[in-house]
């Protein structure tokens, strides 16, 4: 297998990992499922004040709202002013956390694993046994949370969460694409089924 074929494969895997690397989960009040199914209109809760300005700023807020409004409009929900008695209110929260990933490679079998020297597609790069090797990787993980609050009772009735590894120096276009994809995955299960 040629080097260009291997590089093309690595690029494809990286691209797929970037799209599928968003982990989502949802939770809801089982007693509120019937109300959730009847919702048609919503308004936004005010943005959290005095928090991390990397997240809570007008640029990120408009990106999140744009993605959510577009996704909910496609599902038949309508954004209204708070004075028009919406069925539910939407709030969002975000976080950026530093994470550490440690991989230990055991050299007991006589070779070190390396993505460029895969035993199925190329020669084994290193011979000889040795002590385990540890690789430490620091990265940033972003979290986006969408909350659905019943407008009448003011109770949280549904929450969706998305987590993804963030790239350094992400462009505005890539940031919007990541938020769009996260929102689409979060709202896939809204409203929940009985």
């Amino acid at each position: 297998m040629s080097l260009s074929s291997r590089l093309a494969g690595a690029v494809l895997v990286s691209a797929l990992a970037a799209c599928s690397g968003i982990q989502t989960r949802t939770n809801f009040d089982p007693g509120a499922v019937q109300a959730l199914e009847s919702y048609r209109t919503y308004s936004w809760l005010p943005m959290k004040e005095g928090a991390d300005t990397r997240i809570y700023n007008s640029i990120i807020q408009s990106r999140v709202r744009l993605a959510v409004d577009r996704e909910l409009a496609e599902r038949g929900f309508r954004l209204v002013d708070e004075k028009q008695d919406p069925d539910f209110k939407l709030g969002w929260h975000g976080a950026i956390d530093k994470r550490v990933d440690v991989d230990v490679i055991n050299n007991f079998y006589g070779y070190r694993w390396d993505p460029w020297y895969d035993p199925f597609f190329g020669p084994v790069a290193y011979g000889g046994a040795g002590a385990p090797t540890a690789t430490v990787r620091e990265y940033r993980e972003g979290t986006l949370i969408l909350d659905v609050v019943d407008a009448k009772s003011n109770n949280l009735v549904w929450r969706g969460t998305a987590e993804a590894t963030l790239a350094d120096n992400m462009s505005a276009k890539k940031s919007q694409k990541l938020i769009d994809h996260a929102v689409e995955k979060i709202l896939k299960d809204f409203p929940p089924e009985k």
Side-chain angles (χ1 to χ4, degrees):
M1 182 176 273
S2 71
L3 179 59
S4 62
S5 297
R6 284 190 209 174
L7 287 175
V11 168
L12 178 61
V13 168
S14 296
L16 290 174
C19 291
S20 64
I22 299 174
Q23 303 297 316
T24 60
R25 60 187 173 280
T26 60
N27 199 356
F28 60 92
D29 177 0
V33 171
Q34 189 171 4
L36 284 161
E37 290 176 345
S38 69
Y39 289 164
R40 293 292 164 249
T41 60
Y42 71 98
S43 67
W44 281 97
L45 291 167
M47 183 173 66
K48 187 175 177 180
E49 295 293 328
D52 187 344
T53 55
R54 295 175 303 166
I55 302 157
Y56 296 99
N57 60 63
S58 58
I59 295 170
I60 299 298
Q61 176 168 322
S62 65
R63 287 182 183 159
V64 170
R65 285 188 175 189
L66 177 70
V68 172
D69 289 343
R70 184 174 41 239
E71 190 68 28
L72 289 178
E74 288 176 8
R75 295 165 178 267
F77 295 94
R78 189 169 48 91
L79 175 63
V80 297
D81 189 81
E82 190 174 341
K83 296 171 187 161
Q84 294 177 292
D85 283 336
D87 297 322
F88 66 98
K89 297 177 185 181
L90 267 175
W92 70 275
H93 313 281
I96 298 175
D97 297 307
K98 285 186 179 179
R99 300 283 188 229
V100 176
D101 187 28
V102 179
D103 287 323
V104 177
I105 301 166
N106 187 344
N107 295 325
F108 177 76
Y109 295 106
Y111 62 89
R112 294 179 186 162
W113 181 85
D114 187 299
W116 300 108
Y117 297 98
D118 190 294
F120 297 106
F121 298 108
V124 175
Y126 306 101
T133 305
T135 304
V136 178
R137 179 177 72 94
E138 287 187 29
Y139 62 97
R140 294 178 310 139
E141 182 178 78
T143 303
L144 174 64
I145 299 171
L146 294 179
D147 284 341
V148 172
V149 176
D150 184 81
K152 290 185 178 89
S153 68
N154 208 35
N155 289 331
L156 177 66
V157 290
W158 186 90
R159 172 172 276 181
T161 305
E163 295 172 338
T165 300
L166 301 177
D168 292 330
N169 302 321
M170 189 178 291
S171 70
K173 186 176 180 179
K174 285 184 179 180
S175 176
Q176 185 66 59
K177 188 174 181 178
L178 181 63
I179 290 171
D180 290 346
H181 190 58
V183 166
E184 179 185 350
K185 285 188 76 170
I186 291 172
L187 292 175
K188 177 179 60 108
D189 296 321
F190 179 79
E193 296 180 5
K194 290 183 184 179

PDB file of all heavy atoms in Angstrom, residues 7-43:
ATOM      1  N   LEU A   7      -2.053   8.017   3.708  1.00  0.00           N
ATOM      2  CA  LEU A   7      -2.382   9.382   4.123  1.00  0.00           C
ATOM      3  C   LEU A   7      -3.836   9.708   3.838  1.00  0.00           C
ATOM      4  O   LEU A   7      -4.505  10.336   4.656  1.00  0.00           O
ATOM      5  CB  LEU A   7      -1.469  10.384   3.417  1.00  0.00           C
ATOM      6  CG  LEU A   7      -0.029  10.428   3.918  1.00  0.00           C
ATOM      7  CD1 LEU A   7       0.793  11.372   3.054  1.00  0.00           C
ATOM      8  CD2 LEU A   7       0.036  10.851   5.365  1.00  0.00           C
ATOM      9  N   ALA A   8      -4.338   9.290   2.671  1.00  0.00           N
ATOM     10  CA  ALA A   8      -5.741   9.540   2.339  1.00  0.00           C
ATOM     11  C   ALA A   8      -6.650   8.852   3.346  1.00  0.00           C
ATOM     12  O   ALA A   8      -7.649   9.413   3.797  1.00  0.00           O
ATOM     13  CB  ALA A   8      -6.048   9.062   0.932  1.00  0.00           C
ATOM     14  N   GLY A   9      -6.299   7.628   3.734  1.00  0.00           N
ATOM     15  CA  GLY A   9      -7.075   6.906   4.737  1.00  0.00           C
ATOM     16  C   GLY A   9      -7.049   7.595   6.082  1.00  0.00           C
ATOM     17  O   GLY A   9      -8.067   7.718   6.760  1.00  0.00           O
ATOM     18  N   ALA A  10      -5.858   8.098   6.464  1.00  0.00           N
ATOM     19  CA  ALA A  10      -5.732   8.797   7.747  1.00  0.00           C
ATOM     20  C   ALA A  10      -6.555  10.084   7.756  1.00  0.00           C
ATOM     21  O   ALA A  10      -7.197  10.418   8.743  1.00  0.00           O
ATOM     22  CB  ALA A  10      -4.264   9.114   8.028  1.00  0.00           C
ATOM     23  N   VAL A  11      -6.556  10.814   6.640  1.00  0.00           N
ATOM     24  CA  VAL A  11      -7.343  12.042   6.540  1.00  0.00           C
ATOM     25  C   VAL A  11      -8.825  11.732   6.634  1.00  0.00           C
ATOM     26  O   VAL A  11      -9.580  12.420   7.330  1.00  0.00           O
ATOM     27  CB  VAL A  11      -7.014  12.800   5.234  1.00  0.00           C
ATOM     28  CG1 VAL A  11      -8.009  13.910   4.982  1.00  0.00           C
ATOM     29  CG2 VAL A  11      -5.601  13.348   5.292  1.00  0.00           C
ATOM     30  N   LEU A  12      -9.291  10.683   5.961  1.00  0.00           N
ATOM     31  CA  LEU A  12     -10.699  10.295   6.001  1.00  0.00           C
ATOM     32  C   LEU A  12     -11.113   9.905   7.413  1.00  0.00           C
ATOM     33  O   LEU A  12     -12.152  10.329   7.898  1.00  0.00           O
ATOM     34  CB  LEU A  12     -10.965   9.141   5.030  1.00  0.00           C
ATOM     35  CG  LEU A  12     -12.397   8.616   5.005  1.00  0.00           C
ATOM     36  CD1 LEU A  12     -13.358   9.724   4.573  1.00  0.00           C
ATOM     37  CD2 LEU A  12     -12.507   7.435   4.074  1.00  0.00           C
ATOM     38  N   VAL A  13     -10.274   9.112   8.079  1.00  0.00           N
ATOM     39  CA  VAL A  13     -10.590   8.700   9.453  1.00  0.00           C
ATOM     40  C   VAL A  13     -10.652   9.922  10.357  1.00  0.00           C
ATOM     41  O   VAL A  13     -11.538  10.046  11.200  1.00  0.00           O
ATOM     42  CB  VAL A  13      -9.545   7.674   9.965  1.00  0.00           C
ATOM     43  CG1 VAL A  13      -9.674   7.458  11.456  1.00  0.00           C
ATOM     44  CG2 VAL A  13      -9.711   6.362   9.231  1.00  0.00           C
ATOM     45  N   SER A  14      -9.718  10.870  10.185  1.00  0.00           N
ATOM     46  CA  SER A  14      -9.736  12.092  10.995  1.00  0.00           C
ATOM     47  C   SER A  14     -10.999  12.895  10.759  1.00  0.00           C
ATOM     48  O   SER A  14     -11.593  13.429  11.683  1.00  0.00           O
ATOM     49  CB  SER A  14      -8.522  12.965  10.675  1.00  0.00           C
ATOM     50  OG  SER A  14      -7.351  12.284  11.031  1.00  0.00           O
ATOM     51  N   ALA A  15     -11.417  12.993   9.501  1.00  0.00           N
ATOM     52  CA  ALA A  15     -12.634  13.751   9.178  1.00  0.00           C
ATOM     53  C   ALA A  15     -13.855  13.096   9.799  1.00  0.00           C
ATOM     54  O   ALA A  15     -14.720  13.772  10.362  1.00  0.00           O
ATOM     55  CB  ALA A  15     -12.801  13.858   7.668  1.00  0.00           C
ATOM     56  N   LEU A  16     -13.942  11.780   9.710  1.00  0.00           N
ATOM     57  CA  LEU A  16     -15.080  11.077  10.304  1.00  0.00           C
ATOM     58  C   LEU A  16     -15.059  11.198  11.820  1.00  0.00           C
ATOM     59  O   LEU A  16     -16.098  11.366  12.452  1.00  0.00           O
ATOM     60  CB  LEU A  16     -15.078   9.606   9.880  1.00  0.00           C
ATOM     61  CG  LEU A  16     -15.397   9.347   8.419  1.00  0.00           C
ATOM     62  CD1 LEU A  16     -15.220   7.861   8.099  1.00  0.00           C
ATOM     63  CD2 LEU A  16     -16.790   9.804   8.063  1.00  0.00           C
ATOM     64  N   ALA A  17     -13.877  11.126  12.397  1.00  0.00           N
ATOM     65  CA  ALA A  17     -13.770  11.248  13.856  1.00  0.00           C
ATOM     66  C   ALA A  17     -14.209  12.630  14.306  1.00  0.00           C
ATOM     67  O   ALA A  17     -14.839  12.789  15.340  1.00  0.00           O
ATOM     68  CB  ALA A  17     -12.340  10.974  14.298  1.00  0.00           C
ATOM     69  N   ALA A  18     -13.898  13.643  13.515  1.00  0.00           N
ATOM     70  CA  ALA A  18     -14.299  15.008  13.873  1.00  0.00           C
ATOM     71  C   ALA A  18     -15.812  15.135  13.884  1.00  0.00           C
ATOM     72  O   ALA A  18     -16.375  15.829  14.718  1.00  0.00           O
ATOM     73  CB  ALA A  18     -13.692  16.003  12.899  1.00  0.00           C
ATOM     74  N   CYS A  19     -16.498  14.476  12.959  1.00  0.00           N
ATOM     75  CA  CYS A  19     -17.961  14.565  12.906  1.00  0.00           C
ATOM     76  C   CYS A  19     -18.615  13.688  13.963  1.00  0.00           C
ATOM     77  O   CYS A  19     -19.619  14.049  14.529  1.00  0.00           O
ATOM     78  CB  CYS A  19     -18.452  14.144  11.524  1.00  0.00           C
ATOM     79  SG  CYS A  19     -18.004  15.320  10.246  1.00  0.00           S
ATOM     80  N   SER A  20     -18.060  12.511  14.186  1.00  0.00           N
ATOM     81  CA  SER A  20     -18.710  11.581  15.101  1.00  0.00           C
ATOM     82  C   SER A  20     -18.187  11.720  16.522  1.00  0.00           C
ATOM     83  O   SER A  20     -18.628  11.026  17.407  1.00  0.00           O
ATOM     84  CB  SER A  20     -18.520  10.146  14.624  1.00  0.00           C
ATOM     85  OG  SER A  20     -17.141   9.823  14.649  1.00  0.00           O
ATOM     86  N   GLY A  21     -17.242  12.631  16.752  1.00  0.00           N
ATOM     87  CA  GLY A  21     -16.643  12.771  18.062  1.00  0.00           C
ATOM     88  C   GLY A  21     -17.509  13.491  19.071  1.00  0.00           C
ATOM     89  O   GLY A  21     -17.054  13.748  20.166  1.00  0.00           O
ATOM     90  N   ILE A  22     -18.719  13.839  18.709  1.00  0.00           N
ATOM     91  CA  ILE A  22     -19.609  14.525  19.646  1.00  0.00           C
ATOM     92  C   ILE A  22     -20.426  13.467  20.388  1.00  0.00           C
ATOM     93  O   ILE A  22     -21.136  12.680  19.778  1.00  0.00           O
ATOM     94  CB  ILE A  22     -20.550  15.494  18.906  1.00  0.00           C
ATOM     95  CG1 ILE A  22     -19.733  16.569  18.185  1.00  0.00           C
ATOM     96  CG2 ILE A  22     -21.535  16.125  19.875  1.00  0.00           C
ATOM     97  CD1 ILE A  22     -20.558  17.479  17.314  1.00  0.00           C
ATOM     98  N   GLN A  23     -20.284  13.470  21.696  1.00  0.00           N
ATOM     99  CA  GLN A  23     -21.040  12.543  22.540  1.00  0.00           C
ATOM    100  C   GLN A  23     -22.246  13.287  23.102  1.00  0.00           C
ATOM    101  O   GLN A  23     -22.080  14.367  23.682  1.00  0.00           O
ATOM    102  CB  GLN A  23     -20.167  12.024  23.684  1.00  0.00           C
ATOM    103  CG  GLN A  23     -18.900  11.335  23.231  1.00  0.00           C
ATOM    104  CD  GLN A  23     -19.182  10.097  22.415  1.00  0.00           C
ATOM    105  OE1 GLN A  23     -20.039   9.288  22.757  1.00  0.00           O
ATOM    106  NE2 GLN A  23     -18.473   9.949  21.310  1.00  0.00           N
ATOM    107  N   THR A  24     -23.437  12.742  22.929  1.00  0.00           N
ATOM    108  CA  THR A  24     -24.637  13.410  23.434  1.00  0.00           C
ATOM    109  C   THR A  24     -25.422  12.491  24.362  1.00  0.00           C
ATOM    110  O   THR A  24     -25.311  11.270  24.286  1.00  0.00           O
ATOM    111  CB  THR A  24     -25.575  13.846  22.288  1.00  0.00           C
ATOM    112  OG1 THR A  24     -25.963  12.693  21.553  1.00  0.00           O
ATOM    113  CG2 THR A  24     -24.898  14.852  21.378  1.00  0.00           C
ATOM    114  N   ARG A  25     -26.201  13.128  25.213  1.00  0.00           N
ATOM    115  CA  ARG A  25     -27.136  12.385  26.073  1.00  0.00           C
ATOM    116  C   ARG A  25     -28.273  13.326  26.439  1.00  0.00           C
ATOM    117  O   ARG A  25     -28.104  14.541  26.436  1.00  0.00           O
ATOM    118  CB  ARG A  25     -26.448  11.803  27.299  1.00  0.00           C
ATOM    119  CG  ARG A  25     -25.809  12.794  28.206  1.00  0.00           C
ATOM    120  CD  ARG A  25     -25.007  12.092  29.320  1.00  0.00           C
ATOM    121  NE  ARG A  25     -24.256  13.046  30.086  1.00  0.00           N
ATOM    122  CZ  ARG A  25     -23.105  13.576  29.716  1.00  0.00           C
ATOM    123  NH1 ARG A  25     -22.561  13.231  28.582  1.00  0.00           N
ATOM    124  NH2 ARG A  25     -22.495  14.458  30.482  1.00  0.00           N
ATOM    125  N   THR A  26     -29.406  12.744  26.736  1.00  0.00           N
ATOM    126  CA  THR A  26     -30.556  13.539  27.136  1.00  0.00           C
ATOM    127  C   THR A  26     -31.171  12.944  28.394  1.00  0.00           C
ATOM    128  O   THR A  26     -30.990  11.765  28.692  1.00  0.00           O
ATOM    129  CB  THR A  26     -31.634  13.599  26.031  1.00  0.00           C
ATOM    130  OG1 THR A  26     -32.089  12.272  25.743  1.00  0.00           O
ATOM    131  CG2 THR A  26     -31.097  14.244  24.770  1.00  0.00           C
ATOM    132  N   ASN A  27     -31.907  13.781  29.101  1.00  0.00           N
ATOM    133  CA  ASN A  27     -32.621  13.346  30.279  1.00  0.00           C
ATOM    134  C   ASN A  27     -33.899  14.177  30.357  1.00  0.00           C
ATOM    135  O   ASN A  27     -33.925  15.315  29.903  1.00  0.00           O
ATOM    136  CB  ASN A  27     -31.772  13.544  31.535  1.00  0.00           C
ATOM    137  CG  ASN A  27     -32.246  12.708  32.700  1.00  0.00           C
ATOM    138  OD1 ASN A  27     -33.262  12.018  32.618  1.00  0.00           O
ATOM    139  ND2 ASN A  27     -31.523  12.771  33.796  1.00  0.00           N
ATOM    140  N   PHE A  28     -34.956  13.603  30.898  1.00  0.00           N
ATOM    141  CA  PHE A  28     -36.229  14.320  30.959  1.00  0.00           C
ATOM    142  C   PHE A  28     -37.062  13.832  32.121  1.00  0.00           C
ATOM    143  O   PHE A  28     -36.830  12.744  32.663  1.00  0.00           O
ATOM    144  CB  PHE A  28     -37.008  14.175  29.643  1.00  0.00           C
ATOM    145  CG  PHE A  28     -37.332  12.752  29.283  1.00  0.00           C
ATOM    146  CD1 PHE A  28     -38.536  12.165  29.678  1.00  0.00           C
ATOM    147  CD2 PHE A  28     -36.452  12.002  28.537  1.00  0.00           C
ATOM    148  CE1 PHE A  28     -38.835  10.850  29.355  1.00  0.00           C
ATOM    149  CE2 PHE A  28     -36.741  10.682  28.200  1.00  0.00           C
ATOM    150  CZ  PHE A  28     -37.939  10.108  28.614  1.00  0.00           C
ATOM    151  N   ASP A  29     -38.037  14.643  32.494  1.00  0.00           N
ATOM    152  CA  ASP A  29     -38.993  14.305  33.540  1.00  0.00           C
ATOM    153  C   ASP A  29     -40.052  13.404  32.915  1.00  0.00           C
ATOM    154  O   ASP A  29     -40.804  13.851  32.045  1.00  0.00           O
ATOM    155  CB  ASP A  29     -39.622  15.592  34.082  1.00  0.00           C
ATOM    156  CG  ASP A  29     -40.695  15.341  35.127  1.00  0.00           C
ATOM    157  OD1 ASP A  29     -40.986  14.167  35.458  1.00  0.00           O
ATOM    158  OD2 ASP A  29     -41.260  16.336  35.622  1.00  0.00           O
ATOM    159  N   PRO A  30     -40.141  12.135  33.338  1.00  0.00           N
ATOM    160  CA  PRO A  30     -41.124  11.222  32.734  1.00  0.00           C
ATOM    161  C   PRO A  30     -42.565  11.715  32.873  1.00  0.00           C
ATOM    162  O   PRO A  30     -43.404  11.460  32.015  1.00  0.00           O
ATOM    163  CB  PRO A  30     -40.931   9.908  33.497  1.00  0.00           C
ATOM    164  CG  PRO A  30     -39.601  10.014  34.144  1.00  0.00           C
ATOM    165  CD  PRO A  30     -39.338  11.473  34.354  1.00  0.00           C
ATOM    166  N   GLY A  31     -42.852  12.457  33.939  1.00  0.00           N
ATOM    167  CA  GLY A  31     -44.196  12.985  34.144  1.00  0.00           C
ATOM    168  C   GLY A  31     -44.546  14.132  33.204  1.00  0.00           C
ATOM    169  O   GLY A  31     -45.702  14.538  33.121  1.00  0.00           O
ATOM    170  N   ALA A  32     -43.548  14.654  32.504  1.00  0.00           N
ATOM    171  CA  ALA A  32     -43.778  15.804  31.628  1.00  0.00           C
ATOM    172  C   ALA A  32     -43.808  15.439  30.149  1.00  0.00           C
ATOM    173  O   ALA A  32     -43.909  16.321  29.305  1.00  0.00           O
ATOM    174  CB  ALA A  32     -42.688  16.845  31.868  1.00  0.00           C
ATOM    175  N   VAL A  33     -43.766  14.143  29.821  1.00  0.00           N
ATOM    176  CA  VAL A  33     -43.710  13.727  28.414  1.00  0.00           C
ATOM    177  C   VAL A  33     -44.926  14.212  27.638  1.00  0.00           C
ATOM    178  O   VAL A  33     -44.797  14.716  26.517  1.00  0.00           O
ATOM    179  CB  VAL A  33     -43.546  12.192  28.289  1.00  0.00           C
ATOM    180  CG1 VAL A  33     -43.696  11.737  26.850  1.00  0.00           C
ATOM    181  CG2 VAL A  33     -42.204  11.758  28.838  1.00  0.00           C
ATOM    182  N   GLN A  34     -46.105  14.111  28.210  1.00  0.00           N
ATOM    183  CA  GLN A  34     -47.313  14.552  27.506  1.00  0.00           C
ATOM    184  C   GLN A  34     -47.256  16.056  27.231  1.00  0.00           C
ATOM    185  O   GLN A  34     -47.591  16.508  26.143  1.00  0.00           O
ATOM    186  CB  GLN A  34     -48.553  14.200  28.311  1.00  0.00           C
ATOM    187  CG  GLN A  34     -49.834  14.434  27.531  1.00  0.00           C
ATOM    188  CD  GLN A  34     -51.045  13.866  28.263  1.00  0.00           C
ATOM    189  OE1 GLN A  34     -50.937  13.370  29.371  1.00  0.00           O
ATOM    190  NE2 GLN A  34     -52.198  13.957  27.622  1.00  0.00           N
ATOM    191  N   ALA A  35     -46.803  16.837  28.216  1.00  0.00           N
ATOM    192  CA  ALA A  35     -46.676  18.283  28.015  1.00  0.00           C
ATOM    193  C   ALA A  35     -45.634  18.574  26.936  1.00  0.00           C
ATOM    194  O   ALA A  35     -45.848  19.432  26.072  1.00  0.00           O
ATOM    195  CB  ALA A  35     -46.291  18.966  29.317  1.00  0.00           C
ATOM    196  N   LEU A  36     -44.509  17.864  26.973  1.00  0.00           N
ATOM    197  CA  LEU A  36     -43.445  18.059  25.977  1.00  0.00           C
ATOM    198  C   LEU A  36     -43.965  17.807  24.560  1.00  0.00           C
ATOM    199  O   LEU A  36     -43.610  18.520  23.629  1.00  0.00           O
ATOM    200  CB  LEU A  36     -42.263  17.137  26.267  1.00  0.00           C
ATOM    201  CG  LEU A  36     -41.357  17.554  27.425  1.00  0.00           C
ATOM    202  CD1 LEU A  36     -40.525  16.384  27.913  1.00  0.00           C
ATOM    203  CD2 LEU A  36     -40.448  18.686  27.001  1.00  0.00           C
ATOM    204  N   GLU A  37     -44.820  16.812  24.403  1.00  0.00           N
ATOM    205  CA  GLU A  37     -45.373  16.497  23.082  1.00  0.00           C
ATOM    206  C   GLU A  37     -46.332  17.571  22.578  1.00  0.00           C
ATOM    207  O   GLU A  37     -46.520  17.720  21.379  1.00  0.00           O
ATOM    208  CB  GLU A  37     -46.079  15.141  23.115  1.00  0.00           C
ATOM    209  CG  GLU A  37     -45.127  13.971  23.263  1.00  0.00           C
ATOM    210  CD  GLU A  37     -45.843  12.640  23.401  1.00  0.00           C
ATOM    211  OE1 GLU A  37     -47.064  12.629  23.675  1.00  0.00           O
ATOM    212  OE2 GLU A  37     -45.173  11.604  23.250  1.00  0.00           O
ATOM    213  N   SER A  38     -46.913  18.325  23.502  1.00  0.00           N
ATOM    214  CA  SER A  38     -47.875  19.358  23.096  1.00  0.00           C
ATOM    215  C   SER A  38     -47.227  20.711  22.832  1.00  0.00           C
ATOM    216  O   SER A  38     -47.877  21.629  22.335  1.00  0.00           O
ATOM    217  CB  SER A  38     -48.965  19.517  24.168  1.00  0.00           C
ATOM    218  OG  SER A  38     -48.419  20.092  25.335  1.00  0.00           O
ATOM    219  N   TYR A  39     -45.968  20.858  23.139  1.00  0.00           N
ATOM    220  CA  TYR A  39     -45.284  22.139  22.943  1.00  0.00           C
ATOM    221  C   TYR A  39     -45.206  22.503  21.462  1.00  0.00           C
ATOM    222  O   TYR A  39     -44.909  21.665  20.609  1.00  0.00           O
ATOM    223  CB  TYR A  39     -43.849  22.081  23.477  1.00  0.00           C
ATOM    224  CG  TYR A  39     -43.716  22.025  24.978  1.00  0.00           C
ATOM    225  CD1 TYR A  39     -42.517  21.632  25.542  1.00  0.00           C
ATOM    226  CD2 TYR A  39     -44.746  22.381  25.840  1.00  0.00           C
ATOM    227  CE1 TYR A  39     -42.346  21.575  26.924  1.00  0.00           C
ATOM    228  CE2 TYR A  39     -44.586  22.329  27.214  1.00  0.00           C
ATOM    229  CZ  TYR A  39     -43.383  21.928  27.744  1.00  0.00           C
ATOM    230  OH  TYR A  39     -43.219  21.882  29.105  1.00  0.00           O
ATOM    231  N   ARG A  40     -45.426  23.787  21.167  1.00  0.00           N
ATOM    232  CA  ARG A  40     -45.300  24.288  19.796  1.00  0.00           C
ATOM    233  C   ARG A  40     -44.520  25.601  19.738  1.00  0.00           C
ATOM    234  O   ARG A  40     -43.931  25.921  18.729  1.00  0.00           O
ATOM    235  CB  ARG A  40     -46.680  24.498  19.160  1.00  0.00           C
ATOM    236  CG  ARG A  40     -47.443  23.212  18.928  1.00  0.00           C
ATOM    237  CD  ARG A  40     -46.770  22.359  17.857  1.00  0.00           C
ATOM    238  NE  ARG A  40     -47.267  21.002  17.892  1.00  0.00           N
ATOM    239  CZ  ARG A  40     -46.567  19.936  18.279  1.00  0.00           C
ATOM    240  NH1 ARG A  40     -45.336  20.070  18.671  1.00  0.00           N
ATOM    241  NH2 ARG A  40     -47.086  18.737  18.284  1.00  0.00           N
ATOM    242  N   THR A  41     -44.550  26.395  20.826  1.00  0.00           N
ATOM    243  CA  THR A  41     -43.883  27.699  20.817  1.00  0.00           C
ATOM    244  C   THR A  41     -42.871  27.783  21.957  1.00  0.00           C
ATOM    245  O   THR A  41     -43.020  27.121  22.989  1.00  0.00           O
ATOM    246  CB  THR A  41     -44.896  28.848  20.977  1.00  0.00           C
ATOM    247  OG1 THR A  41     -45.584  28.701  22.221  1.00  0.00           O
ATOM    248  CG2 THR A  41     -45.891  28.871  19.824  1.00  0.00           C
ATOM    249  N   TYR A  42     -41.848  28.608  21.760  1.00  0.00           N
ATOM    250  CA  TYR A  42     -40.814  28.759  22.777  1.00  0.00           C
ATOM    251  C   TYR A  42     -40.229  30.162  22.737  1.00  0.00           C
ATOM    252  O   TYR A  42     -40.367  30.887  21.748  1.00  0.00           O
ATOM    253  CB  TYR A  42     -39.703  27.717  22.589  1.00  0.00           C
ATOM    254  CG  TYR A  42     -38.835  27.960  21.372  1.00  0.00           C
ATOM    255  CD1 TYR A  42     -37.607  28.609  21.480  1.00  0.00           C
ATOM    256  CD2 TYR A  42     -39.247  27.532  20.112  1.00  0.00           C
ATOM    257  CE1 TYR A  42     -36.816  28.834  20.362  1.00  0.00           C
ATOM    258  CE2 TYR A  42     -38.460  27.748  18.991  1.00  0.00           C
ATOM    259  CZ  TYR A  42     -37.242  28.395  19.126  1.00  0.00           C
ATOM    260  OH  TYR A  42     -36.456  28.625  18.019  1.00  0.00           O
ATOM    261  N   SER A  43     -39.562  30.519  23.832  1.00  0.00           N
ATOM    262  CA  SER A  43     -38.784  31.756  23.894  1.00  0.00           C
ATOM    263  C   SER A  43     -37.459  31.415  24.571  1.00  0.00           C
ATOM    264  O   SER A  43     -37.310  30.344  25.162  1.00  0.00           O
ATOM    265  CB  SER A  43     -39.530  32.842  24.670  1.00  0.00           C
ATOM    266  OG  SER A  43     -39.652  32.481  26.029  1.00  0.00           O
TER     267      SER A  43
END
